[in-house]
Amino acid sequence: MKHPARWIAGGVALVVVVLGVILAVNVGSDAESGVQNSPLQNKAAPAFDLPTLAGARVTDADLQGKWTVINFWNTWCVPCQQELPELKKFVKAHAGDDTVQTIGIVRDPQEPASVIRKYADATGMNWTIALDPGSKAALDFATRGQPESFLVAPNGEVLVYFYGPVTASVLDRALAAAGGPTS
Amino acid sequence: MRKWWAWIALGVVVVVALAIVVWPHGEQSAAARAHNLETQLKCPECEGLSVADSNAPTSLAIRADIKKRIRQGQNDDVIRQAYVDRYGEQILLQPQGSGISLLVWVLPVVVLVVGAFGIGFVLARNRRAPMLHASEADEQLVERAREQQQ
Amino acid sequence: MRAALGYGAVAFGAAASLVGITSLLLGLQVRDPFMLRLGRRCMYVVLLAALLAAAVMESALLSHDFSLKYVAENSAIATPPLFRFTGLWAALEGSILLWAVILGGYLSFVAFKFRKRGNDALVAVACITGLVVALFFFALMLGPANPFRELSTVPLDGRGPNPLLQNHILMAFHPPILYIGYVGFTVPFMFGIAALVTGRFGEGWLEDTRRATLFAWGFLTVGIILGAWWSYEVLGWGGFWAWDPVENASLLPWLTGTAFIHSVIVQERRGMLRVWNLSLVIATFCLTILGTFLTRSGVIDSVHAFSKSDIGPWLLTFLFAIMATGIGLVFWRGDALRSPGKIDSAVSRESAFLANNLLFSALAFVVLLGTVFPLIAEAVRGSRLSVGEPYFDRMGTPIGLALLFLMAVAPALPWRATSGEALRNRMVVPAWIGGLTMLVTVLLGARGLAEVIAYGLGAFAAAGIVRQFYLGARGRRRALGESPGLALGRATRANPRLYGGLVVHLGVVMIAVVLAASSAYGVNREVHLTKGQSTTVNGYTLTYLGSYSTRSAQKNATHARVRITKGDRDLGVYTPMISTFPNSTDGIGTPSVRTGVVDDVYLTLVSGADDKGRVTIGVRVNTMIVWLWIGGAVMALGTILAIAPRLGRKPREKVDPAGPDGVVDTPGTDVQPSGSEAGVMA
């Protein structure tokens, strides 16, 4: 074969160009942005059946007919503490509206229910708080950490996934965009 | 033939050792199955660690979940698929399935095979080429050197 | 004031590079020795400029000068002096500065070493290439990666370095050593490009750069081992290699670099494999730049992605410029690169080196493909997938085993050709040792296929290495009657390159054995203990003795004291801990490891004492890890030996053909008298 070096050089150049185009296209985008997508997007919320602090149970059947914000949190996570005032603001703004509910799920609880109840009472978390023993719901919702939140439509479909702490305005905007009630 | 005895005997030793290793010895234990699956799933909240290696809360939860599923009788493929359904394909630490995922497995093999053939081709072609013959001047040089040594 | 001085130094360095390039180019054009010398002198100036900038930055870091953005982001008042000093390489801009300093050092070395060959076009073009690279890095610092950016309002305290970067003294060693390795490959690259440009692609450029290349390779090897040590002893997840993109970025140039240092031997001996060598050296340099790109551009998720910046496009452009230049030059030279020699036989050392090149390149391809494949998948079909340890293990292990086999066989292969019979006779004893080792490990319980093959091949290779040393010493003993120890020492000194290489191979065998052993199922458990309570894992009894806290300005830490005993032997008290730093909410765990010859007991503090006083301790028992570090040290020692100048009889000495013992020794050879095989090995 004449000029094998040239053929090999040409082949390598081709591969390099292809690779380069791919890398160049990716350089602009942020690697982290992929995390914003949840595989649950536009699918029915997974089934769950959890005990609440009030002593009752909450299941996915309770999602039907209402706009629900599901918020995964726990007592020892600092960003959860930082988003707490925002959650309270959101709940207060929709306090009169029967069609909007908030369910908090304690992800990976390290302390007994009584301690969590005391914490929730002390910080004014006046919405349904459920416990997730064994982290089953956390796994079913494909959460990676906390805080993470989901906006669920009245038909039980997961509409929006929030990775990290949320604010009241972010939740309101998502709710309005989905066709839900404004505060 | 005597020279070959040593190598034949060595071959036997190696084959025996490999046979013991590869011999199917019953079902993999549940713990081994669990560990195997854990090495194949990525810990969702870590940077690239497997569920087996990481002790993050999500990893611990997944490890417990895997053990539960094994107890329930689900086989490996079912368990893996359940996690892919939940977390997406990223949860698997090695690409599976068809399409572009195959590329990552096939390309290196292609590279090696093409390379090996290339080398083999070069070697075969060189063998066919005539050996260099010494010229007159070279032969005289060798003679002179030999005389000097005496 | 400092910002102006530092930035000025960087600008000065860029200017010096530019002046150097111009005067060298002019000097070549008009053949003016003065211009050439001026260009070379600029390389010293580049070093001085970089050193000045680094000194300014260090003084800013050490004196808490928070007017500089870099200082404010990477140090705080509470940061201990050591970690203020290491702040130079804690983030992107400082790392580029460190790179420039080290590059200046290598350029000055080249300028000094070749000061007597100033009018040689090869040297001049190499210097131009080196200065172009330096110019790029200075340009980065003048633009997107400016370390001397000032803050309009000076904060009262800095943010402090990332907690992971102020946790351990290794921070002072791992990055600089790694960079000395990375940057060092610029030297053979410079000369490779020069060889292509000047058309002198014979052996000259290889010989000129041999020691620098080995020096860089040695540092890169040690740097990677230190990275593994950091992962194991500091990060606390229990393993030493996570196939993290940045880890892979350091491994890639090591793979092609290792192929290169072997392949050049063939070019020196027989003038062959020229295209391979040029390609490998260009690829190695490109991979060091790619590595920097992957680490610093944030394109891929990684443990090392501490700071993301817009340096990505610059690095990518530079990378492509280099690749285009390299590929273009090889393309241009085309057939002229072909060497006159041919490989005579498949059973020869040349073929072994050729196979070596292919295998290392394939392994580098696997690592590269696995690292960037998530990006490719996302570009093609929009969703990401992960490529992690299972992939690299499955694809890399067969190649690794093949390399181990080559390593065992190749030293017994002579140049040009041999008969199969001669080869078999040489290898029968080491091969038997390998086979028996395999059987013994299987009988002792090893059950992984790759694992057992690795043990066998490792023993095979080690036996072969010992055989080489034995033959070398025996040759001297028979000819000169020296005692065994003296013979061994003198043989090694007479041919340090060969024996140094063999020592490095011995280190590789150790590491290969550890990698094989670690693939077997280890023990990983969490135990909950109250004070005084014990538990047993794998024969080791762990007793929780209690916790205590420490506070310092830098960090608060909770320590748990655990006593480890085995049977009735007390192995000591070990203290895993969790530290929290003021600028971060997460706790950073630090493991405590009881290192043993066979086993490590690896303790982590998962959570401190709860209200019942119970702690959760993570316990792992890892096999043979200490041999990684020992193997790394052996490789470093072997590299030093391989760089060492040869001692003993000088090759050009005219020796009386019939020496005192009546032995004929031909001048111009460096062979130990008698022992034909030993002679062939040299």
Side-chain angles (χ1 to χ4, degrees):
Chain A
M1 170 161 75
K2 266 219 157 289
H3 294 296
R6 291 213 167 136
W7 280 96
I8 300 175
V12 171
L14 189 64
V15 167
V16 159
V17 163
V18 167
L19 189 63
V21 166
I22 292 174
L23 282 179
V25 159
N26 269 285
V27 158
S29 71
D30 187 1
E32 284 298 310
S33 62
V35 182
Q36 297 298 330
N37 301 321
S38 167
L40 286 181
Q41 205 93 19
N42 298 113
K43 296 215 186 82
F48 59 93
D49 180 356
L50 304 171
T52 65
L53 284 182
R57 294 195 81 83
V58 63
T59 72
D60 49 302
D62 299 319
L63 295 174
Q64 296 293 327
K66 294 197 189 182
W67 297 90
T68 318
V69 170
I70 300 182
N71 170 251
F72 283 88
W73 67 285
N74 57 42
T75 59
W76 43 269
C77 131
V78 171
C80 305
Q81 292 162 5
Q82 288 167 349
E83 86 171 341
L84 192 51
E86 291 289 328
L87 277 175
K88 284 163 68 174
K89 204 162 97 180
F90 175 79
V91 169
K92 187 155 167 225
H94 293 271
D97 190 344
D98 235 3
T99 61
V100 178
Q101 65 175 349
T102 306
I103 302 178
I105 303 185
V106 184
R107 189 180 176 282
D108 185 35
Q110 300 274 327
E111 55 280 279
S114 54
V115 171
I116 300 179
R117 197 177 299 126
K118 249 190 289 195
Y119 176 89
D121 289 338
T123 52
M125 299 175 82
N126 58 350
W127 54 88
T128 313
I129 308 283
L131 300 170
D132 186 16
S135 296
K136 182 170 190 317
L139 281 187
D140 284 335
F141 273 85
T143 58
R144 294 156 213 280
Q146 57 279 323
E148 292 182 14
S149 305
F150 297 84
L151 177 64
V152 183
N155 63 357
E157 187 181 304
V158 172
L159 294 174
V160 189
Y161 164 64
F162 306 93
Y163 176 78
V166 291
T167 62
S169 55
V170 162
L171 288 173
D172 277 324
R173 256 201 309 255
L175 196 54
T182 50
S183 59
Chain B
M1 193 51 187
R2 191 164 54 123
K3 304 186 197 286
W4 284 99
W5 269 122
W7 289 97
I8 295 178
L10 177 61
V12 168
V13 166
V14 167
V15 165
V16 164
L18 289 177
I20 300 179
V21 165
V22 189
W23 203 264
H25 31 49
E27 271 284 314
Q28 223 181 359
S29 74
R33 265 185 70 199
H35 182 256
N36 202 30
L37 279 167
E38 287 163 17
T39 58
Q40 293 173 10
L41 294 176
K42 186 168 96 138
C43 155
E45 60 179 299
C46 321
E47 300 280 7
L49 286 181
S50 72
V51 163
D53 284 331
S54 146
N55 283 335
T58 320
S59 285
L60 298 175
I62 295 181
R63 295 217 286 258
D65 186 59
I66 290 177
K67 290 196 180 75
K68 195 173 77 179
R69 286 173 184 266
I70 289 181
R71 272 200 305 272
Q72 285 171 351
Q74 300 180 16
N75 72 23
D76 287 2
D77 285 328
V78 166
I79 299 179
R80 269 196 294 264
Q81 191 56 43
Y83 274 92
V84 170
D85 288 339
R86 246 195 235 152
Y87 281 95
E89 239 180 315
Q90 301 186 52
I91 192 94
L92 290 178
L93 276 173
Q94 46 181 349
Q96 271 167 353
S98 52
I100 197 159
S101 305
L102 276 182
L103 255 185
V104 79
W105 296 102
V106 164
L107 273 180
V109 176
V110 165
V111 162
L112 262 174
V113 165
V114 166
F117 267 104
I119 292 182
F121 177 73
V122 163
L123 288 176
R125 185 190 54 183
N126 286 351
R127 192 112 38 94
R128 275 186 264 120
M131 301 280 286
L132 291 172
H133 290 297
S135 68
E136 258 306 303
D138 287 337
E139 298 271 13
Q140 286 177 354
L141 205 65
V142 170
E143 270 308 306
R144 238 182 292 136
R146 284 218 181 99
E147 283 158 21
Q148 269 191 347
Q149 287 242 323
Q150 259 105 37
Chain C
M1 209 323 250
R2 274 209 186 86
L5 186 57
Y7 198 76
V10 170
F12 190 51
S17 313
L18 211 47
V19 167
I21 295 171
T22 324
S23 58
L24 281 167
L25 278 171
L26 279 174
L28 274 177
Q29 260 316 81
V30 305
R31 297 177 207 286
D32 181 356
F34 172 73
M35 296 295 273
L36 291 173
R37 194 168 41 220
L38 173 63
R40 271 201 322 284
R41 294 265 163 83
C42 286
M43 289 159 86
Y44 298 119
V45 176
V46 161
L47 171 63
L48 287 172
L51 276 175
L52 178 59
V56 168
M57 178 55 85
E58 286 290 13
S59 102
L61 283 164
L62 289 168
S63 66
H64 298 303
D65 183 354
F66 296 124
S67 66
L68 289 180
K69 182 162 182 272
Y70 186 80
V71 177
E73 285 177 351
N74 292 296
S75 80
I77 294 183
T79 313
L82 172 66
F83 296 111
R84 274 182 266 149
F85 181 78
T86 66
L88 178 63
W89 46 83
L92 170 70
E93 294 84 359
S95 301
I96 303 287
L97 184 50
L98 180 66
W99 191 295
V101 169
I102 298 176
L103 183 57
Y106 278 108
L107 289 178
S108 300
F109 160 75
V110 167
F112 181 73
K113 181 172 157 116
F114 294 95
R115 63 196 183 283
K116 299 227 175 77
R117 285 173 55 181
N119 301 331
D120 188 347
L122 184 77
V123 173
V125 176
C127 292
I128 293 176
T129 314
L131 283 169
V132 167
V133 176
L135 179 62
F136 170 72
F137 279 95
F138 280 108
L140 276 183
M141 283 194 282
L142 289 177
N146 181 5
F148 297 103
R149 215 165 273 162
E150 283 185 291
L151 291 170
S152 43
T153 46
V154 180
L156 290 171
D157 193 359
R159 198 172 62 184
N162 188 299
L164 283 171
L165 299 180
Q166 51 171 322
N167 211 17
H168 198 274
I169 193 177
L170 254 184
M171 179 61 185
F173 296 100
H174 166 56
I177 290 181
L178 203 55
Y179 272 40
I180 295 177
Y182 268 159
V183 181
F185 279 102
T186 313
V187 174
F189 169 74
M190 282 158 60
F191 278 87
I193 296 286
L196 277 169
V197 167
T198 57
R200 286 162 50 182
F201 13 80
E203 293 55 78
W205 69 276
L206 287 177
E207 182 52 40
D208 293 335
T209 56
R210 179 181 92 86
R211 286 207 163 82
T213 309
L214 275 178
F215 180 80
W217 183 87
F219 269 90
L220 186 57
T221 307
V222 172
I224 293 175
I225 303 271
L226 282 181
W229 198 31
W230 185 321
S231 184
Y232 188 71
E233 292 264 349
V234 180
L235 291 184
W237 60 279
F240 53 84
W241 191 267
W243 294 106
D244 177 80
V246 171
E247 289 175 325
N248 297 349
S250 69
L251 186 60
L252 283 168
W254 186 87
L255 289 171
T256 52
T258 306
F260 176 67
I261 60 177
H262 286 87
S263 183
V264 297
I265 300 178
V266 179
Q267 187 167 340
E268 279 176 37
R269 274 280 173 153
R270 301 211 46 215
M272 300 196 296
L273 299 187
R274 290 197 231 175
V275 178
W276 268 107
N277 293 335
L278 286 164
S279 311
L280 282 171
V281 79
I282 294 173
T284 307
F285 180 71
C286 289
L287 286 169
T288 60
I289 304 292
L290 178 68
T292 313
F293 169 71
L294 286 178
T295 315
R296 296 300 178 185
S297 68
V299 165
I300 303 185
D301 292 332
S302 160
V303 172
H304 283 77
F306 297 123
S307 52
K308 298 193 181 135
S309 75
D310 23 81
I311 202 180
W314 286 67
L315 280 171
L316 204 55
T317 314
F318 183 60
L319 179 60
F320 277 94
I322 303 217
M323 285 203 273
T325 311
I327 296 175
L329 281 170
V330 170
F331 197 86
W332 170 47
R333 288 301 184 181
D335 248 3
L337 284 168
R338 271 219 218 160
S339 45
K342 290 201 193 307
I343 298 186
D344 299 315
S345 155
V347 187
S348 66
R349 201 177 286 192
E350 295 93 313
S351 323
F353 277 125
L354 191 51
N356 192 51
N357 280 357
L358 178 63
L359 287 170
F360 267 110
S361 303
L363 192 52
F365 180 72
V366 164
V367 174
L368 182 60
L369 185 64
T371 308
V372 301
F373 201 72
L375 289 177
I376 298 176
E378 183 165 20
V380 168
R381 49 164 226 188
S383 65
R384 277 217 179 186
L385 39 73
S386 313
V387 177
E389 183 166 346
Y391 170 78
F392 293 109
D393 273 351
R394 205 186 275 190
M395 298 298 272
T397 305
I399 303 179
L401 289 175
L403 281 169
L404 205 52
F405 174 73
L406 261 187
M407 202 173 78
V409 168
L413 282 171
W415 294 96
R416 297 209 81 122
T418 184
S419 69
E421 178 177 343
L423 187 62
R424 279 195 297 276
N425 288 344
R426 284 190 203 130
M427 295 214 293
V428 69
V429 170
W432 261 99
I433 294 178
L436 285 174
T437 308
M438 254 177 92
L439 189 61
V440 164
T441 54
V442 168
L443 292 174
L444 286 178
R447 283 293 178 271
L449 181 62
E451 183 194 346
V452 161
I453 296 178
Y455 292 142
L457 288 175
F460 182 10
I465 294 170
V466 168
R467 179 178 168 272
Q468 293 295 326
F469 276 102
Y470 168 71
L471 284 177
R474 186 183 75 173
R476 283 189 84 94
R477 290 197 62 199
R478 281 190 184 165
L480 304 169
E482 291 168 347
S483 71
L486 196 61
L488 190 63
R490 290 242 175 102
T492 310
R493 269 184 16 196
N495 199 345
R497 190 176 175 188
L498 168 71
Y499 291 104
L502 290 176
V503 170
V504 174
H505 280 187
L506 210 51
V508 172
V509 168
M510 290 182 201
I511 293 179
V513 165
V514 173
L515 295 180
S518 70
S519 66
Y521 187 4
V523 175
N524 178 10
R525 230 187 281 170
E526 282 196 354
V527 296
H528 308 278
L529 297 170
T530 53
K531 193 159 168 185
Q533 202 183 354
S534 299
T535 184
T536 307
V537 176
N538 251 37
Y540 293 95
T541 309
L542 307 158
T543 314
Y544 170 51
L545 299 174
S547 295
Y548 65 93
S549 298
T550 55
R551 258 168 234 286
S552 76
Q554 185 202 11
K555 62 183 182 184
N556 299 342
T558 312
H559 309 247
R561 301 179 66 233
V562 177
R563 166 160 291 138
I564 306 181
T565 56
K566 184 163 187 161
D568 47 6
R569 248 193 338 150
D570 179 14
L571 298 175
V573 175
Y574 291 86
T575 320
M577 64 181 186
I578 301 180
S579 313
T580 43
F581 292 80
N583 65 352
S584 159
T585 54
D586 297 320
I588 307 288
T590 307
S592 184
V593 187
R594 196 256 154 196
T595 311
V597 173
V598 177
D599 278 337
D600 276 6
V601 181
Y602 191 96
L603 301 174
T604 47
L605 183 58
V606 177
S607 51
D610 59 10
D611 47 0
K612 293 202 204 75
R614 272 194 342 170
V615 290
T616 312
I617 309 255
V619 182
R620 289 172 200 260
V621 179
N622 298 320
T623 324
M624 303 267 260
I625 302 288
V626 74
W627 290 96
L628 268 179
W629 324 130
I630 298 179
V634 169
M635 284 176 83
L637 283 174
T639 312
I640 295 175
L641 191 54
I643 302 184
R646 146 181 308 158
L647 297 169
R649 236 200 299 252
K650 287 207 172 37
R652 296 201 204 289
E653 243 178 52
K654 280 257 180 243
V655 175
D656 179 4
D661 306 328
V663 171
V664 175
D665 189 357
T666 327
T669 63
D670 52 357
V671 161
Q672 296 89 329
S674 112
S676 58
E677 296 163 62
V680 165
M681 294 323 128

